[in-house]
Amino acid sequence: MVSDEILRTHLQELRRGTVVVASLVALRRPDYGYALLERLSDCGFPVEANTLYPLLRRLEEQGLLTSEWNTEESRPRKFYRTSADGESVLNRLLTDLAAVQTSLTGLIEGADR
């Protein structure tokens, strides 16, 4: 029987890339970190804050996100948005993800024959 730890590791690896895609999709509409955490979770992509915030910083450093501070409220918040380069990368990732899904579907259906 497969241990919970082995399964957890593989699920984590599978989700790691999909969280990047999900974040780039979600941030087509500007949002701040905590709201993004909630949105992703509500859509089936639960992410820990200590995973998401470094991811947002990395995507920003790579030029895939832009950010700006909103200081109009009592507590300043940093809003992120998918950049033009981020949109280009996202489109490529979505295309590849669809191809992977098609390939997996073919394997699954082929295994049933």
Side-chain angles (χ1 to χ4, degrees):
M1 174 163 237
V2 176
S3 74
D4 288 344
E5 182 60 31
I6 290 172
L7 180 58
R8 191 172 19 257
T9 298
H10 287 292
L11 288 172
Q12 182 180 32
E13 288 176 15
L14 180 62
R15 288 190 171 268
R16 186 171 288 134
T18 57
V19 169
V20 170
V21 173
S23 296
L24 290 171
V25 168
L27 291 172
R28 285 173 162 166
R29 184 182 85 203
D31 221 339
Y32 60 98
Y34 185 75
L36 179 61
L37 276 173
E38 290 182 330
R39 232 167 113 202
L40 291 174
S41 182
D42 290 347
C43 291
F45 291 94
V47 184
E48 305 261 339
N50 61 356
T51 298
L52 183 65
Y53 289 108
L55 171 68
L56 293 174
R57 285 191 295 276
R58 188 178 87 236
L59 294 175
E60 185 178 18
E61 287 171 9
Q62 293 171 345
L64 304 181
L65 295 178
T66 60
S67 69
E68 60 183 56
W69 285 95
N70 179 345
T71 57
E72 295 174 3
E73 299 177 23
S74 61
R75 185 170 162 237
R77 293 182 177 166
K78 189 174 187 178
F79 279 75
Y80 295 91
R81 176 191 295 253
T82 303
S83 68
D85 285 345
E87 189 66 35
S88 295
V89 168
L90 174 59
N91 288 330
R92 176 62 199 270
L93 293 173
L94 289 172
T95 298
D96 197 60
L97 186 59
V100 167
Q101 180 61 46
T102 299
S103 297
L104 284 173
T105 300
L107 285 170
I108 292 165
E109 289 173 356
D112 292 336
R113 292 183 194 174

